[in-house]
Amino acid sequence: MHMKLFKQKLNDKTMWAKLAFPAMFCVTVFMLYPFVYSLILSLYSHKGLYSEWVGLGNYVRMMQDQVFRKALGNNLLFLAVQVPIMLVLGLLYAYILQTDRLKFRGFFRMALFLPCVTSLVAYSIVFRTMFMNDGLINQILLKLNLISQPIQWLTNKTTARIVVILALCWRWTGYNAMYYIAGLQTIPRDMIEAARIDGCNVFQEFFKVVVPQLKQVIIFTSITSTIGTLQLFDEVTTLTKGGPANSTMTVSYYIFKQSFELNNNYGYSAAMSWVIVVLIAVLSLIQLRATKEE
């Protein structure tokens, strides 16, 4: 009897509507509403508590804003340099750590993934300390006679960018490597053994057998790394504050400054956010199209 009533309730569309309502309400309130409101907000200019309709004025202003153009260029630079390095290193580390004859594989995997769960503030302080004028890096380079005087790592435009790229690679390479390790475990051992029997060396095995089998995982990590780089905020905030001379300024950090430090112009910040949304969508679509199988 109870089972019959239970089955009747399962077939009751009203019951399913009641069960789905809390989830739909949360999605609407916490995702859909901010999404739509930010688009509307980007059409206004704010001055304190007052707002003024400007239409596409904020988007026109962006094209004339030298700092925004610099920040967007920095994002694209980090994307072009850091993401390929991180993906290639992650793939190589994963392949090495999946080797059967490697001892202490568990320890090395933990050491590789540990930076991903390290406190952002803690590791940023460590990096700032290491790359100070009298920091560990300069001390090592001086003792090895590779430099004659300390390098101004954080006050030079080029070296400041290098520090940010090194910090990003150190923190996120292991994150991608874990995905590759999981993907490597799904490759049939018979396929690799057959390639070895056919005379494939290590490089041929890696590029002609392993990499094609990890294509979908590589696409996924490429897209997520692209999204993360275009939204880059934490490392720049804690390491360089966007300096020197905006050489490491990113769009996300510039949005923060426009919202809370400079003009409190939330409309202009919302417009810049939408530029990032569109750019992420376009680059992700290009990556999917470029890797689509015939």
Side-chain angles (χ1 to χ4, degrees):
M1 185 66 179
H2 293 291
M3 183 61 66
K4 187 176 181 180
L5 290 174
F6 179 72
K7 289 181 178 180
Q8 289 177 351
K9 288 184 177 180
L10 284 178
N11 296 324
D12 187 0
K13 295 182 179 180
T14 305
M15 185 196 72
W16 283 110
K18 291 179 180 179
L19 292 174
F21 177 76
M24 295 301 298
F25 177 78
C26 291
V27 169
T28 302
V29 172
F30 297 107
M31 295 184 65
L32 184 60
Y33 172 74
F35 183 83
V36 175
Y37 181 71
S38 66
L39 181 59
I40 297 173
L41 190 66
S42 69
L43 304 177
Y44 286 84
S45 177
H46 290 76
K47 297 179 181 179
L49 298 176
Y50 301 97
S51 60
E52 178 185 358
W53 171 267
V54 294
L56 299 177
N58 286 324
Y59 296 94
V60 175
R61 176 184 171 185
M62 275 189 290
M63 300 301 102
Q64 302 170 350
D65 189 342
Q66 295 294 332
V67 178
F68 171 78
R69 292 162 63 180
K70 181 74 172 179
L72 183 60
N74 291 333
N75 274 107
L76 296 177
L77 175 65
F78 292 141
L79 177 64
V81 176
Q82 179 260 334
V83 171
I85 293 174
M86 181 175 62
L87 295 181
V88 172
L89 287 178
L91 190 57
L92 290 175
Y93 289 153
Y95 184 68
I96 294 171
L97 292 176
Q98 195 61 19
T99 304
D100 295 331
R101 291 172 293 180
L102 181 66
K103 296 182 179 179
F104 309 111
R105 286 194 299 174
F107 170 77
F108 290 120
R109 289 180 182 179
M110 181 193 68
L112 185 63
F113 188 71
L114 190 61
C116 304
V117 295
T118 303
S119 168
L120 173 66
V121 176
Y123 107 86
S124 298
I125 292 174
V126 170
F127 262 79
R128 281 189 64 87
T129 304
M130 289 173 57
F131 286 94
M132 291 176 65
N133 294 342
D134 57 347
L136 177 64
I137 301 300
N138 277 333
Q139 294 297 325
I140 293 175
L141 295 176
L142 287 169
K143 289 184 178 180
L144 294 175
N145 294 321
L146 296 177
I147 57 175
S148 58
Q149 59 183 3
I151 299 175
Q152 308 292 324
W153 289 101
L154 299 176
T155 57
N156 178 275
K157 294 181 180 180
T158 302
T159 54
R161 289 169 178 165
I162 292 174
V163 172
V164 173
I165 291 173
L166 289 175
L168 289 170
C169 290
W170 180 84
R171 182 173 174 84
W172 296 113
T173 297
Y175 180 82
N176 291 322
M178 291 301 109
Y179 282 107
Y180 297 142
I181 289 174
L184 285 168
Q185 293 175 349
T186 64
I187 299 177
R189 297 294 303 173
D190 296 342
M191 184 181 297
I192 296 178
E193 291 175 0
R196 292 173 179 173
I197 292 173
D198 289 340
C200 289
N201 56 36
V202 175
F203 296 100
Q204 292 173 329
E205 176 187 321
F206 179 76
F207 288 106
K208 295 185 178 181
V209 179
V210 173
V211 172
Q213 293 297 316
L214 293 179
K215 181 179 179 180
Q216 297 301 322
V217 182
I218 293 173
I219 294 171
F220 172 77
T221 54
S222 175
I223 292 175
T224 55
S225 299
T226 299
I227 294 172
T229 305
L230 291 176
Q231 295 177 335
L232 182 60
F233 175 81
D234 297 332
E235 282 78 7
V236 171
T237 304
T238 53
L239 284 173
T240 62
K241 298 293 183 182
N246 297 324
S247 61
T248 58
M249 176 72 71
T250 61
V251 176
S252 294
Y253 186 52
Y254 189 48
I255 290 171
F256 168 79
K257 291 177 72 68
Q258 283 288 335
S259 298
F260 303 107
E261 291 185 3
L262 299 176
N263 303 320
N264 299 116
N265 194 335
Y266 303 112
Y268 187 47
S269 300
M272 288 190 287
S273 300
W274 270 97
V275 171
I276 293 298
V277 170
V278 172
L279 188 59
I280 288 173
V282 170
L283 289 177
S284 299
L285 183 61
I286 291 174
Q287 289 175 331
L288 288 174
R289 290 287 185 181
T291 55
K292 184 179 179 180
E293 296 182 359
E294 296 295 335

